[in-house]
């Protein structure tokens, strides 16, 4: 019986340097960097390119090998998160006031932190119980608010929304945009499917499972499709579109259960009408008639073809 050769790659005794180390990604992904060249932050390169821009370039490769790799995009995202955290932590420790906080934080021990984490998970943490621990958590919150994808970054977004509400008042419209990427020919086109967007044929679109498989395996193409669609909606419908003058808007992008992107949107219309004013005006029959006509004008549906087809199938 043939015995298969097994190659073991041992771990080093110390962590690998994640800064300006071109061997990091080439060692992790030898099948992506086939000749051991082209890695980010290679100091021998005559023109220096920022790490984030280089990753963006790699994910746009024509052969899509970086985009379709199962772990590359997550590893580099984690590296970017770590760098953001380290950069903002460095900014904080250079502030004059941090020395006082540092002395208090040094007085903490592992038992204090363990107790605080346990109480926090049980929602029984008392912010007045330990001043040094509060200082540590405050610094973590400040740094985490600037790290993309972190829980504290969502808190920072809520703070910005509160500031906008304080400045502009309550928003006029709450809107959710949830593009159906697996059903969009444009999304498939971005993912590399050869389609004539001016002449789409049903047989070219494949079945739903195949479309979902293509979209799921091309996250960069899906993100580009989402960005293009949302940008066009903003330019053509929100800003100076059917909603009339808009004085402010705020949106946040989230991923849903199937990791597809969607957008939650707050819009402030440029008028002085308050909810109480709207309630008063809606009592007028002419206002109700105009509002109904407006809604019927901007909201459309057409099921005539579907009804005719269904009637024919039912009669047969």
């Amino acid at each position: 019986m043939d015995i298969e050769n097994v190659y073991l790659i041992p771990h080093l005794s110390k962590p690998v340097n994640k800064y300006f180390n071109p061997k990091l990604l080439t060692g992790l992904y030898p099948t992506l960097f086939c000749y051991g060249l082209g890695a980010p932050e290679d100091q021998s390169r005559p023109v220096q390119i920022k790490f984030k821009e280089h990753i963006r370039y790699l994910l746009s490769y024509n052969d899509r090998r970086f985009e379709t790799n199962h772990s590359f995009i997550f590893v580099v995202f984690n590296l970017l998160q770590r760098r953001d955290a380290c950069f903002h932590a460095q900014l904080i420790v250079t502030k004059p006031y941090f020395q006082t906080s540092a002395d208090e934080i040094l007085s903490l021990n592992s038992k204090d932190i363990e107790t605080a984490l346990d109480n926090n998970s049980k929602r029984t943490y008392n912010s007045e119980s330990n001043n040094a621990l509060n200082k540590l958590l405050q610094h973590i919150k400040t740094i985490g608010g600037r790290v993309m994808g972190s829980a504290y970054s969502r808190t920072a977004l809520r703070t910005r929304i509160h500031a906008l509400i304080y400045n502009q008042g309550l928003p006029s419209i709450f809107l959710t945009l949830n593009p159906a990427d697996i059903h969009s020919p444009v999304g498939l086109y971005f993912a590399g499917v050869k389609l004539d967007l001016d002449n789409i044929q049903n047989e070219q679109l494949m079945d739903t499972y195949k479309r979902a498989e293509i979209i799921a395996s091309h996250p960069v193409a899906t993100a580009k499709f989402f960005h293009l669609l949302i940008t066009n909606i903003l330019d053509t419908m929100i800003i100076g579109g059917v909603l009339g003058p808009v004085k402010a808007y705020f949106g946040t992008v989230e991923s849903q259960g199937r990791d597809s992107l969607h957008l939650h949107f707050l819009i402030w219309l440029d008028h002085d009408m308050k909810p109480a004013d709207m309630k008063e005006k809606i009592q007028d029959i002419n206002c109700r008639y105009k509002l109904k006509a407006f809604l019927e004008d901007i909201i459309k549906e057409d099921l005539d073809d579907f009804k005719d087809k269904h009637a024919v199938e039912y009669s047969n």
Side-chain angles (χ1 to χ4, degrees):
M1 182 177 68
D2 294 335
I3 299 177
E4 183 180 358
N5 293 326
V6 178
Y7 297 93
L8 297 178
I9 302 177
H11 293 283
L12 293 176
S13 58
K14 58 181 180 180
V16 176
N17 178 26
K18 298 181 178 63
Y19 287 88
F20 303 104
N21 182 9
K23 296 181 180 180
L24 175 62
L25 292 179
T26 55
L28 285 173
Y29 299 100
T31 58
L32 299 182
F33 301 93
C34 303
Y35 298 98
L37 301 174
E41 299 182 325
D42 187 351
Q43 299 303 305
S44 64
R45 187 177 290 111
V47 178
Q48 298 301 317
I49 304 174
K50 294 182 179 180
F51 183 80
K52 184 182 293 187
E53 295 301 320
H54 199 141
I55 295 302
R56 189 189 300 271
Y57 165 73
L58 294 177
L59 292 174
S60 301
Y61 258 34
N62 186 58
D63 62 6
R64 303 178 186 273
R65 66 177 186 267
F66 290 94
E67 177 188 7
T68 56
N69 186 274
H70 294 293
S71 63
F72 177 79
I73 196 170
F74 296 102
V75 170
V76 295
F77 181 70
N78 182 259
L79 291 175
L80 290 171
Q81 283 185 311
R82 290 168 181 262
R83 293 187 177 201
D84 283 344
C86 291
F87 173 73
H88 291 291
Q90 182 183 14
L91 292 180
I92 286 181
V93 299
T94 57
K95 301 295 183 181
Y97 62 80
F98 182 77
Q99 187 58 46
T100 305
S101 300
D103 294 336
E104 294 187 37
I105 292 173
L106 285 175
S107 66
L108 294 172
N109 54 47
S110 59
K111 186 64 177 178
D112 295 331
I113 298 177
E114 182 181 353
T115 302
L117 291 175
D118 184 59
N119 292 338
N120 190 48
S121 63
K122 297 177 181 178
R123 300 183 182 276
T124 58
Y125 175 72
N126 184 5
S127 60
E128 300 178 357
S129 60
N130 193 324
N131 187 54
L133 192 59
N134 291 337
K135 289 286 183 67
L136 176 61
L137 293 177
Q138 184 61 40
H139 288 309
I140 292 175
K141 182 178 180 180
T142 302
I143 296 170
R146 292 167 173 79
V147 177
M148 56 181 175
S150 67
Y152 290 114
S153 66
R154 292 192 290 272
T155 303
L157 290 176
R158 286 198 295 268
T159 302
R160 294 173 61 184
I161 293 175
H162 293 161
L164 198 54
I165 292 175
Y166 181 81
N167 181 263
Q168 300 289 346
L170 292 175
S172 307
I173 297 175
F174 174 76
L175 182 67
T176 297
L177 299 176
N178 188 13
D181 45 18
I182 64 174
H183 301 302
S184 172
V186 179
L188 295 174
Y189 180 81
F190 278 6
V193 179
K194 302 300 182 182
L195 293 174
D196 182 4
L197 295 180
D198 295 325
N199 185 24
I200 299 296
Q201 303 296 326
N202 289 333
E203 56 271 13
Q204 293 178 298
L205 297 180
M206 300 161 286
D207 58 85
T208 303
Y209 180 84
K210 183 62 177 178
R211 294 198 303 268
E213 186 179 33
I214 293 174
I215 291 297
S217 60
H218 294 80
V220 177
T222 306
K224 288 181 178 179
F225 158 72
F226 178 82
H227 177 74
L228 176 68
L229 180 63
I230 297 302
T231 301
N232 279 279
I233 290 176
L234 283 174
D235 292 340
T236 59
M237 298 182 64
I238 306 300
I239 303 175
V242 296
L243 299 177
V246 174
K247 58 182 178 180
Y249 62 87
F250 191 97
T252 58
V253 179
E254 294 180 349
S255 60
Q256 50 197 14
R258 58 186 178 90
D259 290 332
S260 181
L261 300 177
H262 65 277
L263 177 71
H264 296 297
F265 222 61
L266 293 175
I267 303 174
W268 284 260
L269 299 180
D270 191 9
H271 60 70
D272 297 327
M273 183 173 293
K274 301 179 179 62
D277 299 331
M278 177 65 76
K279 182 179 180 180
E280 180 181 352
K281 286 183 175 295
I282 205 68
Q283 304 302 321
D284 181 33
I285 188 172
N286 292 327
C287 180
R288 291 202 300 270
Y289 176 79
K290 291 180 179 179
L291 178 61
K292 181 180 177 181
F294 170 73
L295 294 176
E296 289 181 345
D297 182 62
I298 65 173
I299 300 176
K300 297 292 185 181
E301 60 85 14
D302 188 0
L303 297 178
D304 292 339
D305 294 338
F306 173 79
K307 291 177 181 178
D308 294 340
K309 180 180 178 181
H310 183 71
V312 171
E313 292 178 351
Y314 184 77
S315 62
N316 292 336

